[in-house]
């Protein structure tokens, strides 16, 4: 009889631990804090090649995490990290980061390239990445103030086809590259990197 009582007590205690762990794991703030080591406090990265994710929409975070988890989106480490989380936890992360304000840290840029990049942005990118790249038409990316190495690596992934590029972006980027070449892309990246506010 005592063994049965002890066994029942252990099962109940285990259930309580699991249920409290699950409730703890889905807490948006706690989940957001687990990302701070790479993406910075509240999602504002201190660089140089890790993006800030503060201010992205909930759906953007969820879709990105699912794509990392499935291997659809290339990564160095995010694919392995994403495998440790559930869809519910992705949603909680998205809720947390969508409510944060991105802090932009200054970085070294080439003023002449940034000036040229501002013109290229207005011509090729402004329709989707409004207000100098601070928002986009779908709330899926923030370009202004992102770290330039991150933007460079992302563009390399898009151009290599290892990361799927939206059709509108592909058309505009091809036009810009045909006319301006890699120097144009470098100017755009310097423009976005110069947007410390």
């Amino acid at each position: 009889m005592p063994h049965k009582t002890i066994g029942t007590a252990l099962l109940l205690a285990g259930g309580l631990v699991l249920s409290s762990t699950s409730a703890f794991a889905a807490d948006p703030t706690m989940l957001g804090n687990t990302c701070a080591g790479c993406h910075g406090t509240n999602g504002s990265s201190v660089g140089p090649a890790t993006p800030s994710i503060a201010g992205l929409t909930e759906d953007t975070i969820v879709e990105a995490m699912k794509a990392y988890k499935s291997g659809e989106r290339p990564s160095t480490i995010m694919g392995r990290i994403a495998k440790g989380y559930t869809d519910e936890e992705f949603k909680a992360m998205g809720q947390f980061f969508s409510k944060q304000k991105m802090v932009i840290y200054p970085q070294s840029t080439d003023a002449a390239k940034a000036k040229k990049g501002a013109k290229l942005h207005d011509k090729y990118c402004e329709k989707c990445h409004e207000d100098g790249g601070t928002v986009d038409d779908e709330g899926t990316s923030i370009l202004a103030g992102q770290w330039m190495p991150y933007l460079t690596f992302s563009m390399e992934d898009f151009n290599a086809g290892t990361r799927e590029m939206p059709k509108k972006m592909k058309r505009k980027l091809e036009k810009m590259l045909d006319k301006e070449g890699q120097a144009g892309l470098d100017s755009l990246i310097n423009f976005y990197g110069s947007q410390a506010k």
Side-chain angles (χ1 to χ4, degrees):
M1 184 78 166
H3 293 297
K4 187 175 182 184
T5 305
I6 292 171
T8 303
L10 287 173
L11 281 173
L12 285 172
L16 288 173
V17 168
L18 287 174
S19 66
S20 66
T21 302
S22 177
F24 173 78
D27 177 77
T29 303
M30 293 304 294
L31 284 166
N33 289 338
T34 66
C35 305
C38 295
H39 292 282
T41 303
N42 296 331
S44 292
S45 171
V46 292
T50 305
S52 289
I53 56 177
L56 294 177
T57 66
E58 180 182 326
D59 287 344
T60 297
I61 298 288
V62 171
E63 288 171 19
M65 292 302 288
K66 285 181 178 180
Y68 284 130
K69 188 173 186 175
S70 71
E72 178 187 333
R73 184 167 174 176
S75 68
T76 52
I77 193 164
M78 283 304 301
R80 289 176 279 169
I81 290 172
K83 287 182 178 153
Y85 293 98
T86 65
D87 287 356
E88 179 188 1
E89 290 168 329
F90 292 159
K91 187 171 174 55
M93 288 175 189
Q95 289 170 356
F96 175 78
F97 289 114
S98 68
K99 294 174 184 164
Q100 305 309 309
K101 182 168 172 44
M102 182 173 154
V103 176
I104 299 175
Y105 299 100
Q107 55 188 310
S108 180
T109 59
D110 182 303
K113 288 180 181 180
K115 185 176 179 182
K116 169 82 173 176
K119 292 177 184 173
L120 294 174
H121 169 82
D122 289 345
K123 184 173 182 177
Y124 296 102
C125 310
E126 178 66 26
K127 280 190 176 178
C128 294
H129 299 281
E130 300 168 18
D131 195 20
T134 55
V135 294
D136 72 11
D137 60 352
E138 296 175 2
T140 59
S141 64
I142 299 170
L143 300 177
Q146 286 289 3
W147 294 101
M148 294 192 313
Y150 167 72
L151 293 173
T152 300
F153 298 145
S154 291
M155 290 310 301
E156 287 171 359
D157 285 342
F158 280 128
N159 284 323
T162 54
R163 185 171 172 192
E164 188 176 346
M165 195 181 317
K167 288 179 185 176
K168 253 194 308 192
M169 177 183 170
K170 186 172 184 172
R171 283 194 308 271
K172 293 286 190 175
L173 184 62
E174 284 174 353
K175 282 183 184 178
M176 194 275 297
L177 288 173
D178 284 345
K179 189 162 184 181
E180 304 290 338
Q182 184 62 37
L185 188 56
D186 191 39
S187 293
L188 271 173
I189 289 170
N190 271 268
F191 167 66
Y192 296 129
S194 72
Q195 300 303 298
K197 293 179 182 179

